[in-house]
Structures are given as structure tokens and as C-alpha cells.
Amino acid sequence: MTDMEHKPNGWNLPINQMTEEEWKEYFECRKKYDIHLSEKEIAENLIKANKVRADQRKYIEISRKIPLLPSIAIVSKAFEGLKALRDYNLSWAKEVYPDEF
């Protein structure tokens, strides 16, 4: 799901309610953050995050680049809604659950 005409499953549930502007932002984030990374790139990001773990803001910023595990993404969607997943890399989750994000 990548545009306003093809919203993810559950888009109309109360937990996923967003304004049209919020949906536009959500889809922009999908384009920006859902990037396939190689194992080497993931390892490099893990090393970078580990080096800055004392700086919580930088740690989170780097960690969010690492693809979220599909099981974590789908549970997070159910409990927190799509808006909470806006700034995460959902590339792996979209492979397993193509209609959910």
C-alpha cells in the first residue's frame, strides 16, 4: 500500500484514524523509510547505534533505519496503530504483510 487510493488494511479502524494530511505524511514516510538494506548495511547501523547508545535521540534515529521485524510491526500496528509506525523502516514487514502497511 503506497498511496491514498490504496490505504492499508484496517485504515478505517479507530486506532488508525488519521486526517487526509496525516495520511499524506504517512505515505511520504513509507517512501522515505521503507528502504531495503543489505545485511552489511544493517550490521553497520547496529554498530553505529551501539556507539551512540548514551545519546537516546541519536540511538533511536539510527535504530529506526533498521527494518522492523514483521512480527513486531504487525503487533505494533494492532496495539498502537499505523501512526506509531510512521518513522520506522517497514520494508521487511511489507514483504510478509503486503496489505497491512
Side-chain angles (χ1 to χ4, degrees):
M1 304 294 103
T2 58
D3 60 54
M4 295 294 286
E5 298 300 315
H6 302 96
K7 292 178 183 171
N9 287 345
W11 69 270
N12 55 346
L13 295 173
I15 197 167
N16 294 320
Q17 291 299 299
M18 292 189 250
T19 65
E20 288 298 309
E21 191 59 38
E22 288 172 322
W23 276 112
K24 287 177 186 174
E25 183 179 333
Y26 173 82
F27 288 118
E28 287 301 314
C29 287
R30 296 288 48 86
K31 291 176 189 173
K32 180 179 177 182
Y33 295 114
D34 295 349
I35 298 169
H36 179 76
L37 299 177
S38 68
E39 287 184 27
K40 181 180 179 185
E41 290 170 315
I42 292 170
E44 288 170 355
N45 278 318
L46 288 168
I47 291 167
K48 281 184 204 175
N50 191 44
K51 288 180 181 178
V52 298
R53 68 181 180 270
D55 183 339
Q56 186 176 9
R57 186 188 57 78
K58 285 184 182 179
Y59 178 83
I60 290 171
E61 181 182 321
I62 294 167
S63 296
R64 285 182 172 173
K65 293 178 183 179
I66 299 165
L68 202 56
L69 293 172
S71 57
I72 293 173
I74 199 74
V75 168
S76 294
K77 177 186 174 186
F79 284 96
E80 300 179 69
L82 289 166
K83 197 185 292 190
L85 294 169
R86 186 183 66 215
D87 299 329
Y88 288 88
N89 182 341
L90 301 177
S91 61
W92 287 354
K94 287 169 77 174
E95 289 175 13
V96 177
Y97 304 107
D99 297 332
E100 297 297 326
F101 302 100

